Amino acid sequence: MNTINLKVKNNEFTIGAESNLVFIGGPCAIESLDHSLFMAEAINKICEKLSLKWVFKACYDKDCRSSPDSFHGLGILEGLEVLSKVRNEFETPVTSDFSDPSWAKATGEVCDIIQIPAYLCRQTSILRAAAQTKKPINLKKGQFMSPWNMKNSVKKIEYYGCNEIILTDRGTFFGYNMLVNDFRSLPIMKETGYPVCFDATHSVQQPGGMGEKSGGQREFVPYLARAAIAVGV
């Protein structure tokens, strides 16, 4: 099983099958520096109490919002500056996704992990740009993708020179405006030889379920997270 090695100053740890559980979390979109620091401090306190390593995740531009009126984030320049300040203050790795190949280089200069949005998990230009940053990649399984077909996206990333990959399940379309988790996805994706991750919050999302924005059923997050850990994320 391949592993991901992360280091920020004196904080060094590994993501992989034989390693301890790692938490990835934060606000979906970067709202402000103050909000991001507030969230990072709260998460850091919880993770320190549990002796849990963690990665701060927040996106500078959520390009898949249902409505043009929805908040998308602060944009790449201000957003990456916020991520850099969080990284330095809490000595924790940071990650963000990107949805335009031209954003990859700047994202890789700040982020310790590059995230591929689920909707773009097959997009060759995105996968190539992410691999060229030479940073580890968190590849989210598209809601429309079977777990066994994720190996094709993995092969693209490997072809472009990256072999530090995490595969993440975030639910599969179950009719309209609904997702369901097939926990067979986790061991199937693990057959690629790379560690797997489970996105519990996006798995309870109801895409477009509120008309011009998505809904969700957050009350089920703890149950799905426990199930994924039992399976072996």
Side-chain angles (χ1 to χ4, degrees), residues 201-229:
T201 50
H202 278 101
S203 289
V204 299
Q205 186 187 53
Q206 295 172 315
M210 299 178 70
E212 291 190 350
K213 56 185 177 181
S214 295
Q217 297 176 299
R218 67 177 67 185
E219 66 271 22
F220 294 118
V221 168
Y223 303 101
L224 295 178
R226 293 187 189 108
I229 291 168

Side-chain angles (χ1 to χ4, degrees), residues 170-183:
R170 56 138 307 157
T172 301
F173 281 132
F174 189 64
Y176 298 119
N177 307 125
M178 184 63 70
L179 299 172
V180 68
N181 291 108
D182 177 0
F183 284 97

Side-chain angles (χ1 to χ4, degrees), residues 24 138 166-170 186 189 195-199 233:
I24 302 174
N138 182 15
I166 304 167
L167 290 96
T168 294
D169 183 30
R170 56 138 307 157
L186 300 174
M189 291 196 297
V196 296
C197 173
F198 181 71
D199 185 339
V233 293

Side-chain angles (χ1 to χ4, degrees), residues 38-164:
F38 170 80
M39 293 292 290
E41 182 178 13
I43 295 169
N44 192 54
K45 286 181 180 178
I46 294 169
C47 289
E48 282 186 345
K49 181 179 179 180
L50 299 173
S51 298
L52 194 65
K53 296 295 186 179
W54 69 289
V55 178
F56 182 81
K57 181 269 172 184
C59 296
Y60 53 75
D61 189 332
K62 292 299 294 183
D63 204 28
C64 60
R65 293 295 195 221
S66 299
S67 169
D69 297 323
S70 297
F71 178 71
H72 286 228
L74 298 181
I76 184 169
L77 296 179
E78 188 175 353
L80 288 177
E81 184 176 345
V82 168
L83 288 173
S84 181
K85 289 180 179 178
V86 170
R87 185 180 191 272
N88 290 332
E89 179 157 339
F90 294 95
E91 295 188 14
T92 189
V94 298
T95 183
S96 176
D97 64 26
F98 74 102
S99 50
D100 186 310
S102 66
W103 300 348
K105 186 176 185 295
T107 305
E109 290 173 353
V110 172
C111 292
D112 301 273
I113 301 174
I114 307 295
Q115 183 169 290
I116 305 295
Y119 285 120
L120 298 175
C121 69
R122 291 180 51 172
Q123 204 79 8
T124 301
S125 60
I126 291 286
L127 299 176
R128 179 175 59 242
Q132 289 172 344
T133 67
K134 306 300 181 183
K135 291 295 183 72
I137 294 172
N138 182 15
L139 177 63
K140 299 188 75 173
K141 185 181 81 65
Q143 302 90 324
F144 50 87
M145 284 278 282
S146 67
W148 46 87
N149 278 340
M150 287 295 286
K151 67 180 183 298
N152 296 323
S153 293
V154 167
K155 288 178 180 177
K156 288 183 182 181
I157 294 173
E158 292 173 331
Y159 178 82
Y160 292 113
C162 178
N163 59 5
E164 289 187 289

